[in-house]
Amino acid sequence: MRRLPCGKLRPLVAALILLANATAASAQPGVQTLTSDDLARAGITRLSDIFALAGTWSTFSTEDYHWDAAPLGVTWETSSAWKLFVDESPVDLRALGRQSINGLPLSLSEVCTVQLHTLPVIIGGLIAAAGAIHLQTCPVTHGLSARGVLGVGNETGDPGPWRYTDFGGPNVDRTGPTIQGVIAGGGRNWHLRAQAILDEHHATDPRIRTRVRTLYVGEKDARIFLRAGRASFRLGTHTITGAAARTEDLRYSETLGLEAPVNHETAYVRANGTWRKMGYRLSGMQSNVLTRRNLGSVNVDFEQNALRAHLYGRFTGNRAQAEFGIRGAYLRTIPFPVHNVQMLTLGSVYGQLDALLGRWVKLVTMGSFSIDGRAPGYSAFGSLGFLPADVRLTIAMNDRSYAGQHDLAYWLTQGYQPTSPGSLPVELQASDKREQVLSADLSWHRRRDIELSFTGGFRRHRGYPLLSYAAIYDSLTTGLKVATTARSIAGNTLRGEAELRMPLGHYVTAAVHAAYAYIMAGQHEYRAAWHQRVLAYAQVDFAPNPRFTLHARARYRGVSNWPDYSAAAQAAPEHYAFRMPAAVLVDLTAQKRLWGERLRLSATLRNLADHSHISHPAGSRTRLLFQIRIQYRFEAVI
Amino acid sequence: MRPVLLVLCLLAGALQVQAQAPFSTLEFQVLTTSNVNRNLLHEYWRPGRGGTITLATPFYWGITETGATIHRYNAARDVPGFGAFWVFAGWSVDWRLKSTIAVRPGLRLGNYRMSFDGAETTFAGVSTESDLVLSGGVAISAAIGPTWGVSARADYLRVHTTPLLRLWYVSGGLAVRIPAGRRLRALLE
């Protein structure tokens, strides 16, 4: 009998496992799973475009490139609380307190699945109590392969010929080009993969341009320019990855009320692997936010080197799996204007148990004890699932020092002081310096042709490290003067979400999703931080043929309130706002596969109804946007 | 709402008239094009002559097409003249009135690139500008034998500048239809 070509089947098996996992994950409430097909069908050209597909994530941006995002029920001011993972390894891209997913040196063509967790979850031995985004890369196929994605976009509203008449206005934002390329080679026991990314975004909205032109030196246009590269080598179960990214940026700083001209440079080396029942993840990362020369004496310099190590052992029985691990991090930081090097050491030990109790109950539990700086703390997670009814209760607790998050609020308390001519010193009222979070969520799911799921939950925050701002309009620069206060605050929140997914005939599938957050009790600053409380979407996929699809999605963004900007909005309503009305944004994408599986073309109309929309008080006005995406894939078996 | 209704009407038409196998034929058209309407734009620019080429093929439902139009606008006042290059992809349905005469209503989505004469249009010093075009149109074609035909069409363009640029184009010219080769069909399918 002829033997099966196991080597050739390996990528197929890996893909099937991935697909099976994805299918299983998409069936879990609190997790939204997007496959590479979903991303292509929706015409996604950048990683941040994923948020346009996220049902329960509220997102805000000033220039439509860097998106502050957080699951509804968590404020974006503490967006660092949610975690970003690539293949179970945590990634920290924060700059000026914000985690911009576009800075990740990872080509979209290498992303096989994206999981958006809105409930607490354990990934790679870490409890992500405030949710997580988990990107899983595609396995390298046997032989030689090359993939690339090109994306370009143009927002409507340019003056065109009217520029030369009395009727024309200024140019508006342009998206891209976004160019991502990957080349890879792989055998049975190894792979080598290299990828490069170039991305460009022009923020030319008058609200931004007037602020930027009084500040930037020698730059014709306000633009963001990303260059990134990544290479990985796998031998057996061991992988080493190196990556570097440089973003010429106009990062909006809430503390300064302007777009700081910075270059954000990140570089990291990571090694991970397993040996028998043991595993390891080691990484070294450098992240520098360096201020470019400017007319306003703005300085937001922040340099950080981090070494991280994670060792674990995994033991599997018939009905249970246990994992024990130890994790440590050493951070060496130079925050402006503190020129002394600051050291921070973090360490934790943890144990995790996944077990089937009888036939019907599944238990996932984890406990972690940590030393953050010199302060002890703990995190705990428990999930109890009743399998026949598809009901799950998830509880997470966290009591740790601010140092454990080491986010912007923490570094401000350590003396970091971004400055501009109009900036005011940060007022520190964070006396508690400990963060305590308790969450409980109950979810139910019905798995039939018509899928239905409900999730309801409770969040209790104490000692929550929150930054609040009082922004005053500066008529000289059209910028802001901002007084920032760091406070420990407390409050309780209820949240709920529901989803319905069903086929409509042979060619059409439809989904409806809604999420709501309700602030039960809390201080004024806590209530004010929940800018948005209602999110919903309806989605229809029409596939008359497997090689051609139409994807339509209507997103409802509820009213968002920003009391911190009320004074500025009253003084200059043409530049700032403090209450953004609700909006319905409709996106439509047509996608066609050509040349077998080699070529995929998609054309997307975002904000089809051309609804003039602002997501941030100081942000640009979004109009109808047209995007083209071309994806090429070549594979050859050697 | 009107574009949605138009798409639904076209879709209903496509369901009834789909007869050819997808990508089985290629139809080339070469047309001469004129801008026929007059509005505020034409107080500043006089439309010159233009031309259009299109390539159409049967789709899973209806017909898909791609093409480009070039058109000249000469200065009527103290403004720079410009050349407009409209590149588009479209979808339409073929309604046969007789065996040799067909009416083809459809929608097009594309880019309108304007190249201004000796002028810098943007902050970055570029002399061109591109904007989205959504258009709807109707064509009538008559076959002259199995391969050749004549075609005339009218298109309404909304170029998404601010203010909106509204243009009516009429075109007329020759069409030739040939079977698509096996390789090309495999590429397109």
Side-chain angles (χ1 to χ4, degrees):
Chain A
M1 196 171 73
R2 195 179 162 197
R3 287 185 63 191
L4 284 169
C6 294
K8 288 182 182 178
L9 282 177
R10 189 170 298 216
L12 180 66
V13 171
L16 285 173
I17 290 169
L18 211 69
L19 189 67
N21 284 338
T23 310
S26 66
Q28 290 175 19
V31 189
Q32 186 181 359
T33 300
L34 303 166
T35 63
S36 56
D37 261 356
D38 294 332
L39 302 183
R41 258 203 308 271
I44 299 298
T45 56
R46 285 180 179 145
L47 287 171
S48 64
D49 291 341
I50 288 165
F51 291 125
L53 303 177
T56 320
W57 288 63
S58 51
T59 51
F60 308 99
S61 176
T62 51
E63 74 304 279
D64 291 350
Y65 185 84
H66 299 299
W67 286 92
D68 295 313
L72 200 66
V74 183
T75 69
W76 71 264
E77 275 88 349
T78 56
S79 62
S80 55
W82 65 267
K83 291 185 167 55
L84 176 64
F85 294 87
V86 177
D87 293 331
E88 297 197 357
S89 294
V91 180
D92 186 355
L93 297 170
R94 286 175 291 180
L96 288 173
R98 290 168 161 181
Q99 179 130 267
S100 176
I101 197 169
N102 283 337
L104 194 66
L106 181 64
S107 168
L108 203 56
S109 63
E110 293 310 285
V111 176
C112 255
T113 57
V114 180
Q115 290 184 321
L116 300 153
H117 295 268
T118 52
L119 301 185
V121 64
I122 301 170
I123 299 173
L126 261 178
I127 300 172
I133 296 179
H134 188 192
L135 305 170
Q136 289 166 301
T137 57
C138 303
V140 174
T141 50
H142 211 102
L144 189 67
S145 61
R147 300 182 203 199
V149 177
L150 169 68
V152 288
N154 199 358
E155 192 165 325
T156 60
D158 282 336
W162 303 113
R163 169 183 298 276
Y164 304 102
T165 69
D166 298 331
F167 309 102
N171 266 1
V172 295
D173 294 0
R174 179 161 65 82
T175 307
T178 303
I179 304 166
Q180 306 175 5
V182 181
I183 187 159
R188 183 177 297 179
N189 207 29
W190 65 278
H191 80 235
L192 182 63
R193 171 160 53 185
Q195 44 193 300
I197 300 166
L198 286 175
D199 195 3
E200 198 170 339
H201 183 85
H202 293 255
T204 53
D205 187 279
R207 288 165 153 242
I208 293 176
R209 178 178 272 174
T210 48
R211 286 196 297 263
V212 165
R213 288 182 83 168
T214 57
L215 187 64
Y216 287 23
V217 177
E219 293 174 52
K220 283 189 169 181
D221 216 341
R223 70 162 189 175
I224 298 168
F225 186 40
L226 167 76
R227 283 168 286 182
R230 186 175 191 260
S232 64
F233 175 66
R234 179 179 69 82
L235 186 62
T237 59
H238 305 275
T239 306
I240 185 160
T241 305
R246 184 174 195 270
T247 310
E248 290 170 26
D249 213 344
L250 48 95
R251 191 68 66 101
Y252 183 78
S253 163
E254 215 79 43
T255 314
L256 301 180
L258 50 78
E259 281 78 7
V262 296
N263 292 334
H264 185 202
E265 299 167 350
T266 54
Y268 66 80
V269 178
R270 179 183 302 138
N272 61 281
T274 55
W275 182 73
R276 295 187 179 173
K277 292 178 178 177
M278 308 301 288
Y280 67 91
R281 293 188 182 96
L282 308 170
S283 70
M285 182 169 185
Q286 185 178 54
S287 174
N288 295 336
V289 178
L290 303 171
T291 317
R292 291 201 299 274
R293 194 164 64 88
N294 61 81
L295 299 173
S297 308
V298 171
N299 197 328
V300 296
D301 286 358
F302 186 87
E303 299 172 40
Q304 188 173 78
N305 296 323
L307 293 172
R308 291 185 169 86
H310 175 203
L311 303 172
Y312 60 92
R314 198 171 280 168
F315 308 93
T316 307
N318 284 339
R319 301 176 66 81
Q321 178 176 289
E323 182 176 314
F324 301 95
I326 182 166
R327 189 188 298 277
Y330 170 73
L331 283 78
R332 183 178 179 276
T333 308
I334 309 176
F336 178 84
V338 183
H339 293 295
N340 297 331
V341 174
Q342 298 207 7
M343 315 283 193
L344 177 63
T345 308
L346 310 166
S348 62
V349 291
Y350 71 89
Q352 180 186 343
L353 176 70
D354 299 4
L356 267 176
L357 307 178
R359 289 169 57 193
W360 293 334
V361 178
K362 186 180 180 190
L363 173 73
V364 179
T365 184
M366 181 170 164
S368 167
F369 295 92
S370 54
I371 302 288
D372 304 313
R374 291 177 183 172
Y378 75 90
S379 304
F381 174 94
S383 167
L384 203 61
F386 183 59
L387 301 177
D390 244 338
V391 175
R392 187 159 56 108
L393 174 67
T394 305
I395 294 174
M397 284 184 286
N398 193 35
D399 183 349
R400 292 179 68 173
S401 157
Y402 284 7
Q405 292 285 5
H406 52 89
D407 57 5
L408 180 63
Y410 170 76
W411 290 113
L412 289 174
T413 62
Q414 299 301 303
Y416 178 44
Q417 179 67 67
T419 56
S420 71
S423 66
L424 303 168
V426 176
E427 189 183 341
L428 304 173
Q429 296 181 6
S431 54
D432 195 355
K433 297 200 174 176
R434 289 193 74 77
E435 178 190 355
Q436 296 169 306
V437 183
L438 167 68
S439 71
D441 294 277
L442 187 65
S443 56
W444 172 77
H445 183 237
R446 177 185 186 271
R447 299 166 202 261
R448 306 260 172 86
D449 280 351
I450 299 174
E451 279 192 61
L452 190 61
S453 69
F454 291 101
T455 304
F458 168 77
R459 304 278 183 277
R460 178 180 178 272
H461 298 108
R462 294 289 179 272
Y464 209 45
L466 199 70
L467 296 174
S468 58
Y469 309 96
I472 301 163
Y473 179 64
D474 179 357
S475 57
L476 199 63
T477 62
T478 72
L480 299 167
K481 289 185 177 177
V482 183
T484 305
T485 309
R487 284 193 182 90
S488 302
I489 58 168
N492 302 328
T493 309
L494 282 178
R495 61 180 296 283
E497 60 183 293
E499 181 170 291
L500 172 69
R501 194 172 285 272
M502 58 193 292
L504 298 173
H506 292 298
Y507 302 123
V508 180
T509 53
V512 185
H513 181 278
Y516 179 67
Y518 174 70
I519 317 305
M520 289 169 67
Q523 292 158 272
H524 168 72
E525 293 82 2
Y526 183 86
R527 290 172 174 273
W530 260 261
H531 305 298
Q532 201 158 47
R533 300 182 184 184
V534 184
L535 291 170
Y537 75 80
Q539 177 181 308
V540 176
D541 285 290
F542 172 60
N545 183 287
R547 304 185 60 75
F548 174 74
T549 55
L550 282 175
H551 169 89
R553 188 180 178 92
R555 284 180 288 153
Y556 173 79
R557 293 172 59 99
V559 174
S560 70
N561 288 301
W562 302 69
D564 294 350
Y565 284 82
S566 59
Q570 282 168 13
E574 70 280 16
H575 286 104
Y576 299 98
F578 74 98
R579 180 181 167 83
M580 262 66 78
V584 177
L585 304 173
V586 180
D587 299 342
L588 177 67
T589 302
Q591 184 226 196
K592 175 78 182 83
R593 299 183 196 201
L594 299 162
W595 199 2
E597 291 300 313
R598 284 193 182 181
L599 209 54
R600 277 187 179 196
L601 298 182
S602 65
T604 301
L605 289 169
R606 297 205 184 281
N607 192 3
L608 183 62
D610 201 11
H611 182 90
S612 177
H613 171 65
I614 303 170
S615 70
H616 186 281
S620 59
R621 206 169 277 280
T622 304
R623 304 280 302 269
L624 171 62
L625 173 70
F626 177 48
Q627 283 181 309
I628 295 276
R629 170 187 150 127
I630 303 168
Q631 182 171 334
Y632 173 77
R633 188 170 81 176
F634 167 78
E635 284 170 6
V637 177
I638 298 172
Chain B
M1 199 62 197
R2 276 177 296 176
V4 176
L5 290 174
L6 183 60
V7 171
L8 290 174
C9 289
L10 290 175
L11 207 56
L15 284 170
Q16 291 170 13
V17 299
Q18 180 66 51
Q20 289 184 294
F23 314 109
S24 55
T25 61
L26 294 176
E27 185 182 286
F28 296 95
Q29 290 190 356
V30 180
L31 311 166
T32 177
T33 301
S34 294
N35 171 213
V36 292
N37 68 319
R38 293 294 176 265
N39 55 32
L40 185 62
L41 178 85
H42 303 94
E43 292 181 16
Y44 292 86
W45 288 276
R46 282 192 310 273
R49 291 184 178 173
T52 301
I53 53 167
T54 64
L55 173 63
T57 183
F59 203 49
Y60 305 110
W61 286 0
I63 289 165
T64 185
E65 61 179 350
T66 184
T69 294
I70 51 170
H71 207 276
R72 175 74 198 166
Y73 288 86
N74 297 308
R77 289 194 192 178
D78 187 20
V79 290
F82 67 93
F85 182 64
W86 171 33
V87 59
F88 55 81
W91 182 76
S92 56
V93 296
D94 224 12
W95 284 327
R96 296 254 157 220
L97 299 182
K98 284 187 170 183
S99 60
T100 55
I101 298 176
V103 174
R104 188 181 291 178
L107 298 168
R108 286 173 174 177
L109 175 73
N111 187 61
Y112 202 75
R113 182 184 169 93
M114 292 157 274
S115 302
F116 295 91
D117 302 341
E120 290 192 352
T121 63
T122 67
F123 197 32
V126 181
S127 64
T128 60
E129 197 165 307
S130 291
D131 279 287
L132 172 73
V133 187
L134 296 173
S135 74
V138 61
I140 183 161
S141 58
I144 314 168
T147 304
W148 290 90
V150 290
S151 181
R153 62 177 299 128
D155 291 289
Y156 170 63
L157 283 72
R158 285 166 60 100
V159 185
H160 280 259
T161 55
T162 300
L164 206 62
L165 209 60
R166 299 166 196 269
L167 301 169
W168 274 99
Y169 279 5
V170 293
S171 310
L174 287 174
V176 59
R177 181 180 295 184
I178 57 170
R182 204 189 323 160
R183 284 187 183 176
L184 185 63
R185 213 171 148 179
L187 175 75
L188 295 174
E189 276 179 349

